[in-house]
């Protein structure tokens, strides 16, 4: 095998084809220029790359490595978010560019960190509505008390790859998000939970699950213009095929145990704000009371362990089961991550505060003959 310079790839493929070499390429990921260069080959095979599926189906060592990478990453993120929270409460102003640099610094303190898995997306206010926004030093917006910020970031570790998105509203109780922001964020979370808890028969392609993520947004006449989930490599590419969860019904690759996929519904109000909640999931086999026609059923195991901000929730839109999911997730986060941030009191305090349970206040009877009313903690 010989490694060629990337700029010469088209001419090299053309020469190989003319020399009589058989060529196989994946039409889903091959450029028109390369496909045209291969035409002179005596045999051109158009097929899905066999390497894609082998990479997509992680073995036990790869899955264990990914689990460990996400625990390290969660510790770094909790320390970062605690630092941001305290700074904004003190009245400090940090711009998007500086925040991205600090996030990398916190990750670099974790064992086995190599580099970011992609350039961090740090978007305050209207910049959060730019799906693949990248802050520049000269034009970065300030982050301060009252800011709503979306951060999509990840790390490459010696044992795995991470990709996580969270949205936080800064400033503590003195600064509240708008009712619209709470409603939208909650609908995004409901879609996220629906995918996370989905049970489906083996052989199901990812596009079937996409509607789970969008249903609650659709009910409000809202939507988002990107896929719900992409594959992720084990210490490899943060975007990896061949599977996905998206409206692209032409991708019929079924989800299989051992695959890793993101779960990232969102909503973007152009020029105002962006909402997205992203976890990574492992496809796993699930036990069900029945097995119709002997078919196995699948679901997900969560890899990501970073708190979801309670301040942005409208509990009136959430079911009891969704509230239970939130509380169980946060309990799991506390149990797994608190030992990893115990060396930093500020981070431990932040993690404790942000994993406290949420719930509706009990029914309060106003008086005889009057209806009972229920209120929810905001």
């Amino acid at each position: 095998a010989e490694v060629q310079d990337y700029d010469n790839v088209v001419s090299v493929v053309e020469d190989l084809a003319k020399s009589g070499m058989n060529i196989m390429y994946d039409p889903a990921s091959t450029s028109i220029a390369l496909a045209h260069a291969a035409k002179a080959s005596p045999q051109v095979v158009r097929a899905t790359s066999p390497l894609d599926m082998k990479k997509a189906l992680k073995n036990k060592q790869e899955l264990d490595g990914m689990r460990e990478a996400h625990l390290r990453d969660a510790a770094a993120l909790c320390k970062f978010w605690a630092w941001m929270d305290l700074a904004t409460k003190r009245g400090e102003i940090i711009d998007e560019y500086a925040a991205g640099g600090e996030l990398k610094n916190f990750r670099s303190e974790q064992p086995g960190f190599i580099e970011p898995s992609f350039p961090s997306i740090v978007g305050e206010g209207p910049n959060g509505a730019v799906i693949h926004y990248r802050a520049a030093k000269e034009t970065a917006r300030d982050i301060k008390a009252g800011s709503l910020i979306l951060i999509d970031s990840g790390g490459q570790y010696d044992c795995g790859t991470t990709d996580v998105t969270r949205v936080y509203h800064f400033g503590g109780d003195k600064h509240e998000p708008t009712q619209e922001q709470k409603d939208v964020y909650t609908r995004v979370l409901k879609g996220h939970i629906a995918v996370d808890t989905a049970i489906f028969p083996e052989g199901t392609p990812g596009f079937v699950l996409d509607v789970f993520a969008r249903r609650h947004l659709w009910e409000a006449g809202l939507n988002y213009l990107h896929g719900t989930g992409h594959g992720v490599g084990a210490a490899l590419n943060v975007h990896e095929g061949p599977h996905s969860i998206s409206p692209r019904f032409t991708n019929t690759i079924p989800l299989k145990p051992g695959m890793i996929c993101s779960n990232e519904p969102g909503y973007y109000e152009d020029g105002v704000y962006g909402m997205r909640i992203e976890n990574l999931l492992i496809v796993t086999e699930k036990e069900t009371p029945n097995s119709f026609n002997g078919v196995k059923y699948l679901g997900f195991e969560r890899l990501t362990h970073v708190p979801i901000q309670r301040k942005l929730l409208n509990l009136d839109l959430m079911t009891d089961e969704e509230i239970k999911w939130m509380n169980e997730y946060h309990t799991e986060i506390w149990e797994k991550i608190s030992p990893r941030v115990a060396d930093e009191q500020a981070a431990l305090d932040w993690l404790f505060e942000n994993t406290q349970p949420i719930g509706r206040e009990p029914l309060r009877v106003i008086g005889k003959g009057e209806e009972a009313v229920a209120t929810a903690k905001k």
Side-chain angles (χ1 to χ4, degrees):
E2 185 177 353
V3 178
Q4 297 285 343
D5 187 271
Y6 182 80
D7 292 336
N8 300 329
V9 64
V10 174
S11 61
V12 169
V13 170
E14 194 169 39
D15 291 344
L16 290 173
K18 289 177 179 178
S19 71
M21 181 174 288
N22 296 336
I23 294 178
M24 185 187 92
Y25 68 82
D26 186 345
S29 56
T30 302
S31 69
I32 293 175
L34 283 175
H36 188 267
K39 280 185 176 181
S41 170
Q43 183 177 4
V44 177
V45 178
R46 297 169 181 83
T48 300
S49 170
L51 300 178
D52 287 351
M53 189 59 74
K54 289 186 178 295
K55 287 193 297 181
L57 298 174
K58 277 65 174 175
N59 59 33
K60 181 182 183 302
Q61 289 72 27
E62 289 172 319
L63 292 175
D64 286 345
M66 289 291 278
R67 293 184 182 102
E68 173 60 25
H70 280 78
L71 295 175
R72 297 178 193 175
D73 205 55
L77 283 165
C78 287
K79 291 181 178 182
F80 167 77
W81 285 115
W83 169 75
M84 288 284 292
D85 185 52
L86 286 173
T88 54
K89 284 178 179 176
R90 288 194 298 260
E92 296 180 26
I93 297 175
I94 304 156
D95 68 44
E96 298 164 328
Y97 186 84
E102 286 299 321
L103 178 53
K104 181 181 178 181
N105 291 339
F106 277 104
R107 280 195 166 102
S108 68
E109 295 173 357
Q110 292 297 312
F113 176 77
I114 300 170
E115 62 183 358
S117 53
F118 59 95
S120 295
I121 298 168
V122 182
E124 194 275 346
N127 288 342
V130 182
I131 295 173
H132 292 123
Y133 173 72
R134 188 171 180 180
K137 189 173 184 178
E138 300 75 19
T139 59
R141 287 177 62 87
D142 289 337
I143 303 166
K144 53 187 181 296
S147 285
L148 182 73
I149 184 168
L150 182 153
I151 299 185
D152 185 347
S153 67
Q156 289 284 15
Y157 296 84
D158 57 5
C159 56
T161 304
T162 71
D163 183 4
V164 52
T165 306
R166 288 293 184 269
V167 175
Y168 285 109
H169 189 277
F170 288 120
D173 295 336
K174 294 180 180 178
H175 298 268
E176 282 292 317
T178 68
Q179 190 60 49
E180 175 190 331
Q181 289 169 343
K182 288 183 177 182
D183 291 351
V184 169
Y185 185 84
T186 305
R187 290 183 183 278
V188 170
L189 176 61
K190 287 166 73 70
H192 180 94
I193 294 172
V195 172
D196 181 274
T197 57
I199 305 292
F200 49 94
E202 60 182 349
T204 300
F207 75 81
V208 174
L209 303 184
D210 188 70
V211 68
F212 287 41
R214 298 177 193 268
R215 172 191 165 185
H216 301 286
L217 288 166
W218 285 355
E219 288 174 351
L222 304 174
N223 205 352
Y224 53 96
L225 300 179
H226 60 73
T228 297
H230 57 83
V232 178
L236 287 171
N237 289 337
V238 73
H239 277 230
E240 183 179 271
H243 57 292
S244 69
I245 300 175
S246 82
R248 294 184 286 275
F249 58 85
T250 52
N251 186 344
T252 58
I253 301 295
L255 297 176
K256 296 182 178 182
M259 287 180 169
I260 292 175
C261 197
S262 67
N263 172 18
E264 49 182 308
Y267 176 73
Y268 311 91
E269 187 67 29
D270 287 347
V272 186
Y273 64 85
M275 300 292 189
R276 184 159 69 248
I277 302 172
E278 178 186 17
N279 284 355
L280 297 193
L281 308 171
I282 303 172
V283 181
T284 61
E285 290 189 13
K286 295 291 184 180
E287 291 187 6
T288 54
N290 304 291
S291 181
F292 182 72
N293 279 348
V295 172
K296 294 178 181 178
Y297 281 75
L298 309 177
F300 297 110
E301 170 193 337
R302 282 187 301 275
L303 281 171
T304 309
H305 292 91
V306 179
I308 293 168
Q309 194 178 43
R310 300 167 302 151
K311 176 182 176 181
L312 278 164
L313 295 177
N314 177 359
L315 296 191
D316 292 338
L317 294 178
M318 296 181 70
T319 67
D320 290 344
E321 282 301 309
E322 290 164 342
I323 291 174
K324 180 183 177 184
W325 179 95
M326 183 84 161
N327 289 336
E328 289 177 349
Y329 179 43
H330 280 167
T331 297
E332 181 183 14
I333 291 172
W334 171 257
E335 292 173 351
K336 290 186 175 182
I337 307 306
S338 58
R340 293 178 180 248
V341 298
D343 61 329
E344 190 172 309
Q345 191 61 46
L348 190 63
D349 291 345
W350 180 90
L351 181 62
F352 180 78
E353 178 184 349
N354 284 275
T355 53
Q356 291 304 295
I358 57 173
R360 310 180 209 282
E361 293 179 2
L363 288 175
R364 174 170 52 87
V365 178
I366 295 174
K368 186 177 180 180
E370 295 179 299
E371 293 183 358
V373 297
T375 59
K377 294 179 181 177
K378 301 300 182 186

